[in-house]
Amino acid sequence: MGPKISYGQYCPLAMSSEFLCNRWTLLVLRELLLGSTSFNDIGRGVPRMSRTLLSSRLKELVEIGILAKQKSRKSTSSHYELTESGRALGPVVMSLAGWGQQWLEVEPSLKNFDTDVLMWDIRRNTKPFDELPDPFIVHFCLTDVPENESDYWLVFEKGHVDLCHIDESFKVDVELVVSVRKLTKVWMGWEDFSTAVADGSLVLQGPQQYTDIAEKWLGHSSVAHIKKHPPERRVNY
């Protein structure tokens, strides 16, 4: 661990902040709380964090006792598991996320969107449904990003959902054409899915039995149920 930053106070909030408020730490904890356990999967949720810094943060959390590093029985790879104290941070982290969802203005958030983070969040919150074939392939065609960032595929297969950024000659069932800005707003619950479909800003192409239930299989962010306050009450940052 690097030099310890101390506020010099006995206050539990001050002492907790000494390690929880390090840059990226809360986002790493978010990934772990949302189910990522491997180094690569955790990294996919924080793509702008250097791998060196991620390794350092994980090591710190293990040393503190918030994480446990476990060796896989079937390979030489390792994975991370939250300890009891780490799992107890869940309400803390989600409360901060809920506060941001409720109080922060929308537009600054859209200036900082990361397509990979958005699609990774969609992948981990999307769930298979009995009404869908197996496999079921969804092609996302994003219209407001560079061509090399515009195509993603969600692959629903055998009860799991994978995210691909390379076309593996998929037989696509549904194509979803939308801007990242609009997809972000719909995913986060800032705008209504059906309204976006009706006004043509989100286009679904495919068999009607699948497009009619698209909102069901696509789902929403884990904080989408928290509604924002009116604009005049929000925090601008």
Side-chain angles (χ1 to χ4, degrees):
M1 295 174 65
K4 184 175 181 180
I5 299 173
S6 175
Y7 292 109
Q9 296 185 9
Y10 68 87
C11 169
L13 176 60
M15 297 177 70
S16 301
S17 298
E18 289 173 5
F19 60 88
L20 288 177
C21 293
N22 284 334
R23 184 170 174 81
W24 293 107
T25 296
L26 285 173
L27 299 191
V28 171
L29 287 170
R30 176 197 67 192
E31 295 306 304
L32 290 154
L33 288 162
L34 291 175
S36 293
T37 59
S38 71
F39 183 88
N40 287 338
D41 280 356
I42 296 167
R44 291 189 74 172
V46 284
R48 298 187 184 184
M49 184 182 189
S50 75
R51 304 303 88 171
T52 300
L53 182 56
L54 174 57
S55 179
S56 175
R57 286 288 182 268
L58 290 170
K59 183 178 179 181
E60 290 173 5
L61 293 173
V62 169
E63 291 178 355
I64 292 168
I66 288 175
L67 276 186
K69 187 175 182 180
Q70 307 287 356
K71 286 286 186 181
S72 174
R73 295 180 181 179
K74 297 182 179 180
S75 68
T76 58
S77 62
S78 301
H79 65 278
Y80 296 89
E81 294 180 1
L82 289 162
T83 63
E84 182 180 7
S85 61
R87 293 191 297 272
L89 284 168
V92 178
V93 175
M94 295 313 296
S95 290
L96 280 171
W99 180 88
Q101 171 76 347
Q102 189 173 26
W103 287 100
L104 294 181
E105 188 53 81
V106 168
E107 286 305 315
S109 302
L110 295 174
K111 292 178 182 178
N112 295 317
F113 71 74
D114 186 305
T115 309
D116 287 336
V117 171
L118 172 63
M119 293 307 304
W120 184 244
D121 195 36
I122 289 174
R123 174 260 169 195
R124 67 180 165 203
N125 283 286
T126 297
K127 305 297 181 186
F129 286 94
D130 292 339
E131 296 95 324
L132 302 177
D134 189 3
F136 176 69
I137 313 295
V138 182
H139 176 211
F140 287 75
C141 183
L142 306 177
T143 61
D144 58 343
V145 293
E147 186 176 349
N148 63 345
E149 300 175 16
S150 63
D151 294 290
Y152 291 84
W153 290 263
L154 281 182
V155 181
F156 297 69
E157 188 171 21
K158 297 179 181 178
H160 298 283
V161 183
D162 288 324
L163 176 67
C164 296
H165 191 33
I166 298 174
D167 187 358
E168 298 183 5
S169 300
F170 295 113
K171 182 180 180 298
V172 173
D173 296 289
V174 173
E175 184 170 72
L176 195 154
V177 184
V178 64
S179 70
V180 175
R181 287 176 61 87
K182 179 62 66 172
L183 182 58
T184 300
K185 289 179 179 180
V186 169
W187 177 250
M188 294 301 298
W190 303 336
E191 291 191 8
D192 184 65
F193 181 95
S194 59
T195 300
V197 172
D199 66 21
S201 57
L202 190 158
V203 177
L204 292 165
Q205 299 173 345
Q208 188 173 357
Q209 70 261 38
Y210 305 144
T211 59
D212 280 352
I213 60 170
E215 186 173 12
K216 181 178 178 182
W217 51 254
L218 181 63
H220 292 91
S221 162
S222 57
V223 294
H225 64 284
I226 301 173
K227 300 304 179 184
K228 281 198 176 294
H229 285 304
E232 64 274 12
R233 296 180 61 194
R234 296 177 192 167
V235 175
N236 287 300
Y237 67 101

